[in-house]
Every structure is written in C-alpha cells, then in structure tokens.
Amino acid sequence: TSEKRNDDPLAFGSHPDFLTIAPDGPLEQISIQQMRLVKERAPMKPLRGNWRVFLIDGMERANLQAANSLLKTLEEPPSHLVLVMTARNAYDLLPTIRSRSVTLNLGRLDAADMRAFLGSRGLDNAERRLAMAEGAPGVAVGIDFETYDRRRTAMLTLLRVAAGLEQFGAWMKHSDSIAARKTEKLELYLEVLYSLLEDTLRLLHGAPAGRNADIQRDLEGLSARVSFEWVRKTTVRVDELVELARRNIQKSIALDAIAASGL
C-alpha cells in the first residue's frame, strides 16, 4: 500500500536517495549501462537527507568495461555519496577498485540464527538450505534446488570420470547438455565443483560432508578412490578454469579437460 511505501521506502525500493544495482541479463553481469547510470546519478544531491547511498550487489560480476567505468566515480566521489559494493571474494575485483575502497569483511551467522531466519521466512528444505548456505542468509533464500542438483549431478559425474570410477562416455551426455545451455556461465559449474571437492576433502580427513551432506554416500565412494594429492591437483585445474572463464572459454571444452585428466 502507499502508506507502507511511505513508512519503509527502502524495503519497497522507492527511496529517492537509495539506488541498487544488481547483475542482470542472461549472463547475470553488471553492465556498462548500469555503471553509466551510477555515474550520471552520483552528482545529484540527496532529496531527503544528507547522503545518497548506492549499493552495487555482486561487483565481481561486472565485466571489465563496466568495472573500469566505475573508477572515475571512485577516484572523485561527491561528498554526499556513499558507495557500497558487495563481493563474495574481494580478490575477484580489479586491484584498482580494491585500492580505492575500504574493505569490510562480514561474518557468517551461526546455526541458531540461520534456523531462526529460515523459520521466519517459512522456506522449504530448511536443513538443506542451512547446510548449503554456510551462514549466508541471502544464499539460503536464493537457492534453486532443481538447478543446483542438475549442475551437481553433472559435476559429480565429471569427478567420478576424472577419478577413474566411470568411463568418459558417462560424462559426454552432461557435456553436450551443458554446451546447449548457452546462457549459463562456466563459473556456476565451477562453484559446484569447488563445493564437491571441499566435501571430498572433508571426508578424506574423517569429517562429515558440508554443503553436499545429502549425497554423502556418493561422495564417500569418490573419497575412497582418491587421495589428498588428487584433490589438490584437481582444485588447481579448477582454479585455472576460473581464469579462463573470464576469457569466455567454451564451458564444455573447459570441463572436458578435467574429465579427461584421469584417462
């Protein structure tokens, strides 16, 4: 209602002095057009208070052109502007952006606070969301289990092939499906790969699986076949793909290389 909008304009996105920029489009990137909007609105004086606050959510998803466009605003910000940028990893940002920013590392919520948060939202699969989010409320809310499970099934098959537990042909059907999904970024699959490798490492050292506890038995089969050195080398290969992903390498070819590493 109009009364609620007036009482809490931030919650409804109607506050004139608060602007939110988030990844958009099929590739879920922050674009040069969005950064131009920031540059255009930055000089405008606040209407209701002493400050204008711009929130750029997921700054690590800005393409190079967009990131460079923001530098001018960071170098000479108006005195009334507070620019807040979020990133899962500060080192995914350009060094020039990091050097012009004050870094605040936010801690994760403990299990009790997360359960209370999930209960207040009435979300389904609360315990699985709790395990996967690892203390991040925003992650817990945004999990799409169907999409995640599809990617995870593909990445688990990839690791099983690389470990010699399955034939290369088992991976190829997933490789073809991934290649056909042209709007899905390689990084989305690599995030799942990292989580599977992390849980495999946990099992190697006698700890229970974390984010993928619901498939612990499958991961136990993998961990029984591999060694710490195998996990380390595979993680290094995934690290290399993170760099290649920024150069728009073809997803299926990049992932094929990991599957073929065990042949």
Side-chain angles (χ1 to χ4, degrees):
T1 65
S2 59
E3 290 183 359
K4 289 185 177 180
R5 287 181 181 275
N6 290 332
D7 290 341
D8 197 353
L10 285 178
F12 287 90
S14 59
H15 197 294
D17 297 329
F18 184 75
L19 174 68
T20 302
I21 299 291
D24 196 15
L27 296 181
E28 295 187 359
Q29 288 188 330
I30 292 177
S31 66
I32 181 64
Q33 289 81 7
Q34 290 174 303
M35 291 300 95
R36 286 172 179 161
L37 178 65
V38 170
K39 187 184 297 185
E40 289 172 2
R41 295 194 179 182
M44 298 179 182
K45 298 290 186 180
L47 295 177
R48 293 191 180 179
N50 297 322
W51 307 95
R52 300 203 77 197
V53 179
F54 292 176
L55 170 63
I56 304 178
D57 192 16
M59 185 62 200
E60 76 277 11
R61 302 200 67 83
N63 59 43
L64 184 59
Q65 188 180 21
N68 283 326
S69 176
L70 184 65
L71 289 176
K72 184 66 174 177
T73 303
L74 287 176
E75 289 170 354
E76 300 176 4
S79 59
H80 59 264
L81 179 64
V82 176
L83 183 61
V84 180
M85 296 176 285
T86 69
R88 296 181 66 178
N89 184 349
Y91 290 94
D92 285 335
L93 305 179
L94 292 177
T96 46
I97 288 181
R98 295 202 309 270
S99 67
R100 291 165 173 78
S101 307
V102 176
T103 301
L104 300 175
N105 295 309
L106 303 180
R108 296 177 180 271
L109 299 185
D110 61 26
D113 287 338
M114 282 294 294
R115 284 193 174 91
F117 170 79
L118 292 170
S120 70
R121 292 297 184 96
L123 297 171
D124 61 350
N125 296 300
E127 287 303 309
R128 190 177 175 198
R129 290 181 188 273
L130 178 68
M132 291 179 64
E134 295 186 318
V139 173
V141 171
I143 295 171
D144 179 342
F145 287 115
E146 182 179 352
T147 300
Y148 180 82
D149 288 345
R150 170 176 55 78
R151 292 172 184 155
R152 185 175 67 178
T153 297
M155 295 301 96
L156 181 59
T157 301
L158 174 74
L159 292 177
R160 287 177 58 83
V161 170
L165 289 167
E166 294 192 50
Q167 298 296 315
F168 191 77
W171 160 247
M172 286 309 298
K173 65 177 182 180
H174 294 291
S175 179
D176 292 341
S177 176
I178 290 170
R181 298 178 184 275
K182 299 186 182 301
T183 61
E184 281 192 325
K185 293 177 69 64
L186 175 59
E187 295 166 353
L188 299 173
Y189 290 91
L190 299 184
E191 287 179 7
V192 178
L193 258 181
Y194 277 128
S195 76
L196 292 172
L197 287 167
E198 179 184 350
D199 280 343
T200 301
L201 187 60
R202 289 170 63 92
L203 291 169
L204 276 171
H205 288 83
R211 282 178 283 182
N212 300 288
D214 59 307
I215 59 165
Q216 176 160 322
R217 184 167 297 181
D218 293 323
L219 291 173
E220 286 173 345
L222 176 63
S223 65
R225 175 69 181 235
V226 302
S227 64
F228 172 81
E229 184 61 16
W230 183 91
V231 174
R232 187 192 68 79
K233 288 182 177 179
T234 305
T235 303
V236 169
R237 293 190 184 100
V238 179
D239 290 342
E240 292 170 350
L241 292 188
V242 171
E243 294 300 318
L244 291 174
R246 295 167 181 167
R247 305 175 193 174
N248 294 321
I249 187 175
Q250 189 173 336
K251 296 191 297 289
S252 57
I253 292 176
L255 296 170
D256 287 351
I258 291 181
S261 65
L263 301 179

Coordinates of all heavy atoms in Angstrom, one line a residue, residues 97-130:
I97 N 40.1 -1.1 -8.1 CA 38.9 -0.9 -7.4 C 39.2 -1.2 -5.9 O 38.8 -0.4 -5.0 CB 37.8 -1.8 -7.9 CG1 37.3 -1.3 -9.3 CG2 36.6 -1.9 -6.9 CD1 36.2 -2.0 -9.9
R98 N 39.9 -2.3 -5.6 CA 40.2 -2.6 -4.2 C 41.0 -1.5 -3.5 O 40.8 -1.2 -2.4 CB 41.0 -3.9 -4.1 CG 40.2 -5.1 -4.6 CD 40.8 -6.4 -4.0 NE 42.3 -6.5 -4.2 CZ 42.8 -7.0 -5.3 NH1 42.1 -7.6 -6.2 NH2 44.2 -7.1 -5.4
S99 N 41.9 -0.9 -4.3 CA 42.8 0.1 -3.7 C 42.1 1.4 -3.4 O 42.5 2.2 -2.6 CB 44.0 0.4 -4.6 OG 43.6 1.0 -5.8
R100 N 40.9 1.6 -4.0 CA 40.2 2.8 -3.8 C 39.0 2.6 -2.8 O 38.1 3.4 -2.7 CB 39.6 3.4 -5.1 CG 40.8 3.9 -6.0 CD 40.3 4.1 -7.4 NE 41.3 4.8 -8.3 CZ 42.4 4.2 -8.8 NH1 42.6 2.9 -8.5 NH2 43.2 4.9 -9.5
S101 N 38.9 1.4 -2.2 CA 37.8 1.1 -1.4 C 38.3 0.7 0.0 O 39.4 0.3 0.2 CB 37.0 -0.1 -2.0 OG 36.7 0.1 -3.3
V102 N 37.4 0.8 1.0 CA 37.6 0.3 2.3 C 36.9 -1.1 2.4 O 35.7 -1.2 2.2 CB 37.0 1.2 3.4 CG1 37.2 0.7 4.8 CG2 37.7 2.6 3.3
T103 N 37.7 -2.1 2.8 CA 37.2 -3.5 2.8 C 36.6 -3.8 4.2 O 37.3 -3.6 5.2 CB 38.3 -4.5 2.5 OG1 38.8 -4.2 1.2 CG2 37.7 -5.9 2.5
L104 N 35.4 -4.3 4.2 CA 34.7 -4.7 5.4 C 34.4 -6.2 5.2 O 33.6 -6.5 4.4 CB 33.5 -3.9 5.7 CG 33.6 -2.4 5.9 CD1 32.3 -1.7 6.0 CD2 34.5 -2.1 7.1
N105 N 35.0 -7.1 6.0 CA 34.7 -8.5 6.0 C 33.5 -8.8 6.9 O 33.6 -8.6 8.1 CB 35.9 -9.3 6.3 CG 37.1 -9.1 5.3 OD1 36.9 -9.2 4.1 ND2 38.3 -8.8 5.8
L106 N 32.5 -9.3 6.3 CA 31.3 -9.6 7.1 C 31.3 -11.1 7.5 O 31.6 -12.0 6.7 CB 30.0 -9.4 6.3 CG 29.9 -7.9 5.7 CD1 28.6 -7.8 4.9 CD2 29.9 -6.9 6.9
G107 N 31.0 -11.3 8.8 CA 31.0 -12.7 9.3 C 29.7 -13.4 9.0 O 28.7 -12.8 8.6
R108 N 29.7 -14.7 9.1 CA 28.5 -15.5 8.8 C 27.7 -15.7 10.1 O 28.2 -15.7 11.2 CB 28.9 -16.9 8.2 CG 29.7 -16.8 6.9 CD 30.1 -18.2 6.4 NE 30.8 -18.0 5.1 CZ 30.2 -18.1 3.9 NH1 28.9 -18.3 3.9 NH2 30.9 -18.0 2.8
L109 N 26.4 -16.0 9.9 CA 25.5 -16.2 11.0 C 25.8 -17.6 11.5 O 26.1 -18.5 10.8 CB 24.1 -16.1 10.6 CG 23.6 -14.7 10.1 CD1 22.1 -14.7 9.9 CD2 24.0 -13.6 11.1
D110 N 25.6 -17.8 12.8 CA 25.7 -19.2 13.4 C 24.4 -20.0 13.1 O 23.4 -19.5 12.6 CB 26.0 -19.2 14.9 CG 24.9 -18.5 15.7 OD1 23.8 -18.5 15.3 OD2 25.3 -18.0 16.8
A111 N 24.5 -21.3 13.4 CA 23.4 -22.2 13.0 C 22.1 -21.8 13.6 O 21.0 -21.8 13.0 CB 23.7 -23.6 13.4
A112 N 22.1 -21.3 14.9 CA 20.9 -20.9 15.6 C 20.2 -19.7 14.9 O 19.0 -19.7 14.7 CB 21.2 -20.6 17.1
D113 N 21.0 -18.7 14.6 CA 20.5 -17.5 13.9 C 20.0 -17.9 12.5 O 19.0 -17.3 12.1 CB 21.6 -16.5 13.8 CG 21.8 -15.8 15.2 OD1 21.0 -15.9 16.0 OD2 22.9 -15.2 15.3
M114 N 20.7 -18.8 11.8 CA 20.2 -19.2 10.5 C 18.9 -19.9 10.6 O 18.0 -19.7 9.8 CB 21.3 -20.0 9.8 CG 22.5 -19.3 9.3 SD 22.0 -18.2 7.9 CE 21.5 -19.4 6.6
R115 N 18.8 -20.8 11.6 CA 17.5 -21.5 11.7 C 16.3 -20.6 12.0 O 15.2 -20.7 11.5 CB 17.6 -22.6 12.8 CG 18.4 -23.8 12.4 CD 18.2 -25.0 13.4 NE 18.8 -26.2 12.8 CZ 20.1 -26.5 13.1 NH1 20.8 -25.7 13.9 NH2 20.6 -27.6 12.6
A116 N 16.6 -19.6 12.8 CA 15.6 -18.6 13.2 C 15.2 -17.8 11.9 O 14.0 -17.5 11.7 CB 16.1 -17.6 14.3
F117 N 16.2 -17.4 11.1 CA 16.0 -16.7 9.9 C 15.1 -17.5 8.9 O 14.1 -17.0 8.3 CB 17.3 -16.3 9.2 CG 17.1 -15.7 7.8 CD1 16.7 -14.4 7.7 CD2 17.4 -16.5 6.7 CE1 16.6 -13.9 6.4 CE2 17.2 -16.0 5.5 CZ 16.8 -14.7 5.3
L118 N 15.5 -18.8 8.7 CA 14.8 -19.6 7.8 C 13.4 -19.9 8.2 O 12.5 -19.9 7.4 CB 15.6 -21.0 7.6 CG 16.9 -20.9 6.9 CD1 17.7 -22.2 7.0 CD2 16.8 -20.5 5.4
G119 N 13.2 -20.0 9.6 CA 11.9 -20.2 10.1 C 11.0 -19.0 9.9 O 9.8 -19.1 9.6
S120 N 11.6 -17.8 10.0 CA 10.8 -16.6 9.8 C 10.4 -16.4 8.4 O 9.3 -15.8 8.1 CB 11.6 -15.4 10.3 OG 12.7 -15.1 9.4
R121 N 11.1 -17.0 7.5 CA 10.8 -16.9 6.0 C 9.9 -18.0 5.6 O 9.4 -18.0 4.5 CB 12.0 -16.9 5.2 CG 12.9 -15.6 5.3 CD 12.1 -14.4 4.9 NE 12.9 -13.2 4.9 CZ 13.6 -12.7 3.8 NH1 13.5 -13.3 2.7 NH2 14.3 -11.6 4.0
G122 N 9.7 -19.1 6.4 CA 8.9 -20.2 6.0 C 9.4 -20.9 4.8 O 8.6 -21.5 4.0
L123 N 10.7 -21.0 4.7 CA 11.3 -21.7 3.5 C 11.3 -23.2 3.6 O 11.4 -23.7 4.7 CB 12.7 -21.2 3.3 CG 12.9 -19.7 3.0 CD1 14.3 -19.3 3.0 CD2 12.3 -19.3 1.7
D124 N 11.1 -23.9 2.5 CA 11.1 -25.3 2.5 C 12.6 -25.8 2.6 O 13.5 -25.1 2.4 CB 10.5 -25.9 1.2 CG 11.2 -25.4 -0.1 OD1 12.0 -24.6 0.0 OD2 10.8 -26.0 -1.1
N125 N 12.7 -27.1 2.8 CA 14.1 -27.8 2.9 C 15.0 -27.0 3.8 O 16.2 -26.7 3.4 CB 14.7 -27.9 1.5 CG 13.8 -28.8 0.6 OD1 13.7 -30.0 0.9 ND2 13.3 -28.3 -0.5
A126 N 14.6 -26.6 4.9 CA 15.3 -25.7 5.8 C 16.7 -26.2 6.2 O 17.7 -25.5 6.1 CB 14.5 -25.3 7.1
E127 N 16.8 -27.5 6.5 CA 18.1 -28.0 6.9 C 19.1 -28.1 5.8 O 20.2 -27.9 6.0 CB 17.9 -29.4 7.5 CG 17.2 -29.4 8.9 CD 18.0 -28.6 9.9 OE1 19.3 -28.8 10.0 OE2 17.5 -27.7 10.6
R128 N 18.6 -28.4 4.6 CA 19.5 -28.4 3.4 C 19.9 -27.0 3.1 O 21.1 -26.8 2.7 CB 18.8 -29.1 2.2 CG 19.8 -29.4 1.1 CD 19.2 -30.1 -0.1 NE 20.1 -30.1 -1.1 CZ 19.9 -30.4 -2.4 NH1 18.6 -30.6 -2.8 NH2 20.8 -30.4 -3.3
R129 N 19.0 -26.1 3.2 CA 19.4 -24.7 2.9 C 20.5 -24.2 4.0 O 21.4 -23.5 3.6 CB 18.2 -23.8 3.0 CG 17.2 -23.9 1.9 CD 16.0 -23.0 2.0 NE 15.0 -23.2 1.0 CZ 15.0 -22.7 -0.2 NH1 15.9 -21.9 -0.6 NH2 14.0 -23.0 -1.1
L130 N 20.3 -24.7 5.2 CA 21.2 -24.3 6.3 C 22.6 -24.9 5.9 O 23.6 -24.1 6.1 CB 20.7 -24.9 7.6 CG 21.6 -24.7 8.8 CD1 21.6 -23.3 9.2 CD2 21.1 -25.6 10.0

